[in-house]
Amino acid sequence: MKIKYLLGTIFAAVLVTSCNPTKYLAEGEKFYTGGDVVIHHDSMSQENKEAFETSLEESLLPKPNSKLLGVYYKVGLWNMGGGPDSTNNFIRKWLKRNGQEPVKLGDVNREYNENLLRGKMENLGFFNAQVSSDTLIKEKYASVRYDAYPGKIYRINKVVFDVDTMTNLGWRINYPSNRSLLKPGNNYNLDVILNERDRIDDDLKHNGFYYFSPDNILVEVDSTIGDHKVDMYVTVKPETPAKAREPQYIGNVYIFADYKETSSTNRRRIPRNTEKFDDKYYIVDPLKKHRKKVLANHIFMNPGDKYSRWNHNQTINHLVNLNAYKFVKNDFVDNPDSTNHLDVYYYLTPLPSRSIRLELIGKTAAVYNGTEVTANWTLRNAFKGFETLNLSVFGGYETQTGGNVNLNSSYIRYGAEVGITWPRLLSPWKWAPVRRYIPKTFLKAGYEFLNRRTAYTLNSMTLNYGYAWKENEQRDHNLTLAEIIYVQPRGISDEYRAQMDTVPTLRHIVDPQFSFGPNYVFTFTNTMDNHKKHTFYAKAGLNTSGNILGLIQGADYNSGKIKHIFGTPYSQFIKAEADMRHYLKLSANSTLASRLMIGTSYSYGNSRSLPYLKQYYTGGPNGLRAFRARSVGPGSSLPENIGEENFFADQTGDFKLEMNTEYRAKIAGMLHWAAFIDAGNVWLQNKDDNKPGGKLSSKFLSELAVGGGVGLRLDLDFLIVRTDFAIPFRVPYRPTNDRWVFKYIDIRDRDWRRDNLVFNLAIGYPF
């Protein structure tokens, strides 16, 4: 024990010594800790002043060395690699490559930074800004303080569009001028001026002016009018070429549908006898790999039309999102036979028609371990209309590697799914939600065999047919016209049957299930708008089964009139759910994320409750993180413990309420942390004698489970690895006056930690 303590002390001492940033500094050198900007402006609010200071500090050069929890860890790696030592050692080279050389005070050019800060302030309208600086030294450490005096800001007095409205170009720039980003009364801002040039250019590009450029716009600013105001004059530079002053029109459109990237290829060579399709497009497809009508539906550039950037981008987006082409390129070339006309060439390089992807996943949790393998075969452009055919075959197992074996300890599962997607809506009625995005029709069929070896086996079959389309960037729709789920249990063991007699809830898991009907899901999100302080995500869905058939047949579970299809009672229900999220950006590196989930249902006629696969549950890494998945509820009912390994029958219900709030902040680099509180539960529609307290009542709020904790996140851009440690705060199945459990928290107690401390390892954010 003493040896371990000694080794730990030595290791800690080496680590601390290595992270000393001044270790390899020469005599007289100072370690640079960064620059601080102090704004001197009496009329600016403290909040705006701090934000302004932070913005200016981000532009200072050089950047100080990276820190983690106050430690210059990258300098520590550089030091451990030998610092200035050039020894050609693999380990030392790796440490130095992943570390950072100390930034020294001598690397800082104060005059350059002063001019940089002054320029940034002038770009924001502080034309009389002044900056001074001073070096602050403490032993071997140094920082630089920059005192910034912005002065009074200049505002826009008037904006004049000084263009000839009798020309096509001038009329387009001037109308309607109220769309301008330059507004009288606003602060002068160079970024806004640049954005206004881009706005004018974008509008012109949508209206035919293909050769125009933002650089052709000149914004002259007169700051001599006094009273800290400026007049702005927007005009076109005299040297703007004649081509840029006139709109362009579409000439011939050539589409090379099977283009190969080879150096010997003549890109614009059109084979003889190539005829126009639909009197619009020359489609070059010698091997006839594509149906021309389908391809033409995704081309928005029509001969004779005025050039439009919108149509240009739409065509490219559609061709890319067909998921059939490796490269999509296009050229615009002056038509040799007509002035102000552009010939359009599309070069489409197909992806391989077939591909295979193999995925291997390892799983571990407590005493359980397992693996799963999936093989996915894809056939692109399956029927020459850009259809995608997918076939997936999967198999996996999970087994208990520790503790005492229980009935639910291991399983084997395998199955297959085949699906086809069409990039259009297959419907007897002609309807197209919006041409900006490609709508899709999907058909999927799947089979799964699940063998809980000492308990039961389940055969599951699914069939889905429907449509998916986008209304705009924020709104998605998914309409499944037919969703059929059929589950048939087999081979229920005597041991499991005995447990069903003791815990009737287990019977619901192996009930035959048959549900069919349409469902619809609507999704709204604006979380991609990073500049907004408040962003939202909302998802709402409606799911039904057997409603019309049950009414026709007069099905009535309560009176024993249970109707069957294929020898199996079918489900009759209406289910609605909503998932609403709000993200509040507190700063550039911190966010408060909140979620509210509501699920409700009504089972009637042929059903008394939702089928097992459709029921709600809570708990787990994406729900109530202080409780195990499916271990909470319904209501205040006590989870039924089976065996010595704390195996619980799944706790599910017909209603659900869940609320989550999480504070997220960046520590340094890829490392982030979070603190969270979760609350929620599920309830039953009807009273169940085996689940006392499980029925939804007016006391549902007093039955909420509450937990909280903290966690770390590793943000790798393409992947987020999440760890959460959580403990329960409120347990709904305890006595009514003793559900808050703060007084029982004892981190030092091993038994308490084993029963209450929950660790979750997951990929991605919980919401």
Side-chain angles (χ1 to χ4, degrees):
M1 193 69 179
K2 289 182 179 180
I3 294 176
K4 288 183 178 179
Y5 177 78
L6 179 61
L7 291 174
T9 303
I10 294 173
F11 176 77
V14 170
L15 186 63
V16 170
T17 303
S18 298
C19 290
N20 176 15
T22 65
K23 181 178 180 180
Y24 287 107
L25 291 186
E27 185 68 29
E29 289 183 332
K30 306 297 179 185
F31 180 76
Y32 176 64
T33 59
D36 296 312
V37 177
V38 179
I39 298 292
H40 299 273
H41 198 292
D42 296 336
S43 61
M44 190 178 295
S45 70
Q46 186 62 29
E47 182 181 0
N48 290 340
K49 191 180 294 186
E50 290 176 358
F52 198 9
E53 289 171 346
T54 301
S55 174
L56 293 177
E57 286 170 0
E58 290 174 352
S59 63
L60 296 174
L61 295 174
K63 303 295 182 186
N65 293 110
S66 303
K67 287 195 297 185
L68 177 61
L69 301 177
V71 177
Y72 292 96
Y73 68 101
K74 286 200 171 183
V75 176
L77 292 175
W78 188 81
N79 289 344
M80 292 171 70
D85 186 1
S86 59
T87 302
N88 193 19
N89 177 282
F90 173 77
I91 296 177
R92 287 195 168 191
K93 284 176 65 177
W94 183 90
L95 289 169
K96 290 177 70 173
R97 187 168 62 249
N98 289 276
Q100 287 180 350
E101 185 176 352
V103 179
K104 299 179 282 290
L105 179 62
D107 301 326
V108 180
N109 186 331
R110 284 169 46 189
E111 182 180 357
Y112 174 85
N113 281 335
E114 288 176 8
N115 292 331
L116 192 67
L117 296 178
R118 192 178 300 112
K120 286 202 70 171
M121 288 189 287
E122 288 178 352
N123 290 342
L124 293 172
F126 298 100
F127 290 163
N128 300 317
Q130 298 295 325
V131 181
S132 61
S133 62
D134 191 17
T135 302
L136 306 177
I137 297 176
K138 185 177 181 181
E139 298 178 349
K140 291 189 175 183
Y141 297 86
S143 63
V144 179
R145 169 177 167 142
Y146 297 89
D147 291 286
Y149 303 86
K152 193 169 182 179
I153 198 166
Y154 279 68
R155 301 184 184 277
I156 300 174
N157 179 54
K158 68 177 181 180
V159 180
V160 178
F161 283 83
D162 190 11
V163 293
D164 184 0
T165 57
M166 298 303 292
T167 64
N168 288 328
L169 179 64
W171 179 86
R172 192 67 234 177
I173 291 175
N174 192 65
Y175 176 81
S177 59
N178 60 358
R179 293 182 302 166
S180 173
L181 304 177
L182 304 174
K183 307 287 186 184
N186 287 0
N187 301 346
Y188 170 92
N189 189 313
L190 180 61
D191 288 338
V192 175
I193 293 175
L194 297 177
N195 290 338
E196 172 67 2
R197 297 201 317 167
D198 290 336
R199 182 199 68 81
I200 294 172
D201 176 68
D202 194 53
D203 181 71
L204 292 172
K205 288 291 197 301
H206 287 322
N207 289 276
F209 293 86
Y210 174 79
Y211 287 108
F212 198 84
S213 164
D215 291 335
N216 297 139
I217 292 291
L218 177 65
V219 180
E220 297 177 313
V221 180
D222 183 2
S223 61
T224 64
I225 62 174
D227 197 23
H228 295 91
K229 292 184 178 181
V230 298
D231 288 340
M232 291 185 172
Y233 300 89
V234 182
T235 186
V236 178
K237 292 180 180 178
E239 62 270 22
T240 301
K243 267 188 178 182
R245 295 176 180 269
E246 294 296 333
Q248 305 295 312
Y249 295 84
I250 303 302
N252 297 315
V253 179
Y254 303 96
I255 304 167
F256 293 82
D258 192 21
Y259 180 75
K260 293 179 175 57
E261 291 280 343
T262 58
S263 58
S264 60
T265 302
N266 187 338
R267 290 171 66 96
R268 295 177 189 157
R269 183 181 177 184
I270 310 299
R272 291 182 179 181
N273 303 321
T274 300
E275 297 181 356
K276 277 188 178 181
F277 173 76
D278 198 23
D279 200 32
K280 290 182 180 179
Y281 314 118
Y282 292 99
I283 300 179
V284 182
D285 186 17
L287 299 181
K288 302 187 185 305
K289 291 183 178 181
H290 309 82
R291 297 213 303 272
K292 293 182 178 181
K293 181 179 180 181
V294 178
L295 179 57
N297 285 337
H298 299 280
I299 306 298
F300 293 79
M301 307 293 279
N302 297 317
D305 288 353
K306 188 183 291 186
Y307 168 83
S308 166
R309 175 181 278 176
W310 190 91
N311 289 336
H312 177 181
N313 292 338
Q314 279 295 95
T315 302
I316 297 297
N317 289 339
H318 269 236
L319 294 173
V320 168
N321 290 321
L322 286 172
N323 296 321
Y325 295 113
K326 183 179 181 180
F327 300 113
V328 175
K329 301 179 181 178
N330 80 309
D331 287 339
F332 289 88
V333 181
D334 288 332
N335 187 296
D337 303 320
S338 180
T339 58
N340 295 340
H341 278 70
L342 300 168
D343 287 344
V344 189
Y345 292 81
Y346 290 100
Y347 305 99
L348 313 180
T349 304
L351 285 163
S353 60
R354 296 173 179 83
S355 64
I356 295 178
R357 187 178 73 251
L358 191 67
E359 295 178 357
L360 180 64
I361 301 174
K363 299 184 290 184
T364 180
V367 295
Y368 297 100
N369 292 280
T371 186
E372 185 168 302
V373 61
T374 301
N376 185 284
W377 178 78
T378 300
L379 176 62
R380 299 180 181 87
N381 198 29
F383 307 111
K384 300 185 178 182
F386 302 101
E387 304 86 356
T388 301
L389 181 66
N390 279 294
L391 173 63
S392 295
V393 179
F394 61 87
Y397 77 94
E398 182 179 284
T399 187
Q400 185 172 334
T401 55
N404 297 318
V405 175
N406 60 57
L407 282 176
N408 217 25
S409 62
S410 61
Y411 68 77
I412 296 173
R413 63 184 289 264
Y414 58 82
E417 181 181 88
V418 60
I420 183 170
T421 302
W422 293 267
R424 52 195 174 277
L425 299 180
L426 301 180
S427 169
W429 301 279
K430 271 201 155 186
W431 66 292
V434 61
R435 287 205 70 193
R436 184 174 181 181
Y437 303 96
I438 300 177
K440 295 181 180 180
T441 302
F442 57 85
L443 174 63
K444 294 184 290 185
Y447 168 78
E448 179 182 315
F449 176 81
L450 173 67
N451 183 359
R452 294 232 177 236
R453 291 161 22 187
T454 59
Y456 55 83
T457 62
L458 292 178
N459 291 276
S460 305
M461 287 170 281
T462 60
L463 179 69
N464 291 274
Y465 175 80
Y467 308 118
W469 71 94
K470 286 177 71 74
E471 182 181 340
N472 54 40
E473 289 183 352
Q474 299 178 340
R475 295 177 173 87
D476 279 286
H477 302 263
N478 189 297
L479 174 62
T480 303
L481 294 177
E483 180 192 56
I484 301 174
I485 301 175
Y486 178 73
V487 180
Q488 191 63 248
R490 291 285 188 273
I492 302 175
S493 68
D494 293 337
E495 293 87 350
Y496 194 83
R497 291 183 187 277
Q499 292 287 7
M500 288 195 305
D501 294 334
T502 306
V503 186
T505 305
L506 294 175
R507 190 181 304 277
H508 197 39
I509 298 174
V510 293
D511 280 341
Q513 300 173 59
F514 188 79
S515 66
F516 58 94
N519 63 64
Y520 169 74
V521 176
F522 169 76
T523 305
F524 168 86
T525 181
N526 64 352
T527 54
M528 68 289 291
D529 296 333
N530 295 324
H531 64 282
K532 289 188 175 182
K533 186 173 183 179
H534 298 272
T535 55
F536 300 89
Y537 170 93
K539 183 177 182 180
L542 181 67
N543 190 190
T544 64
S545 174
N547 295 288
I548 297 176
L549 183 61
L551 293 172
I552 293 174
Q553 293 184 332
D556 189 350
Y557 182 95
N558 295 324
S559 62
K561 297 179 181 179
I562 302 176
K563 305 301 179 179
H564 297 72
I565 294 180
F566 305 124
T568 302
Y570 60 84
S571 299
Q572 190 174 357
F573 63 82
I574 299 173
K575 178 185 178 185
E577 52 192 321
D579 179 350
M580 295 164 285
R581 307 174 190 180
H582 171 245
Y583 302 91
L584 172 61
K585 183 179 288 187
L586 301 174
S587 70
N589 295 315
S590 63
T591 302
L592 184 66
S594 303
R595 175 174 65 178
L596 172 64
M597 295 182 67
I598 300 174
T600 183
S601 66
Y602 178 64
S603 300
Y604 65 102
N606 218 41
S607 299
R608 192 171 185 271
S609 64
L610 289 174
Y612 178 72
L613 289 179
K614 292 290 185 179
Q615 285 201 311
Y616 297 107
Y617 65 90
T618 189
N622 295 321
L624 298 179
R625 284 162 279 184
F627 300 86
R628 214 179 67 184
R630 300 175 182 259
S631 68
V632 178
S636 59
S637 62
L638 179 67
E640 294 161 288
N641 187 1
I642 304 173
E644 299 180 12
E645 290 307 312
N646 280 339
F647 161 59
F648 291 90
D650 288 348
Q651 310 301 302
T652 58
D654 305 301
F655 303 95
K656 177 178 180 178
L657 174 63
E658 186 173 301
M659 298 170 286
N660 316 82
T661 294
E662 180 171 286
Y663 173 77
R664 301 168 181 168
K666 183 177 181 179
I667 298 176
M670 299 181 295
L671 191 62
H672 300 242
W673 76 283
F676 54 86
I677 297 177
D678 307 318
N681 207 332
V682 296
W683 294 267
L684 300 175
Q685 176 183 333
N686 296 300
K687 182 180 178 181
D688 186 343
D689 293 336
N690 298 306
K691 291 288 183 182
K695 186 178 184 296
L696 181 67
S697 69
S698 58
K699 299 179 181 179
F700 71 95
L701 288 178
S702 67
E703 296 170 341
L704 290 176
V706 182
V710 296
L712 293 175
R713 287 90 170 90
L714 189 64
D715 189 347
L716 304 175
D717 290 333
F718 64 93
L719 181 71
I720 294 174
V721 180
R722 170 167 58 94
T723 63
D724 290 322
F725 289 90
I727 60 173
F729 296 160
R730 195 171 192 277
V731 181
Y733 48 80
R734 293 181 64 87
T736 306
N737 59 353
D738 193 31
R739 289 177 176 168
W740 291 103
V741 294
F742 289 110
K743 60 185 176 183
Y744 302 114
I745 296 176
D746 187 358
I747 298 293
R748 294 171 298 178
D749 185 275
R750 182 178 179 181
D751 293 335
W752 181 93
R753 294 197 305 270
R754 183 195 62 215
D755 297 335
N756 295 275
L757 183 60
V758 177
F759 170 72
N760 294 294
L761 175 63
I763 301 298
Y765 288 114
F767 55 90

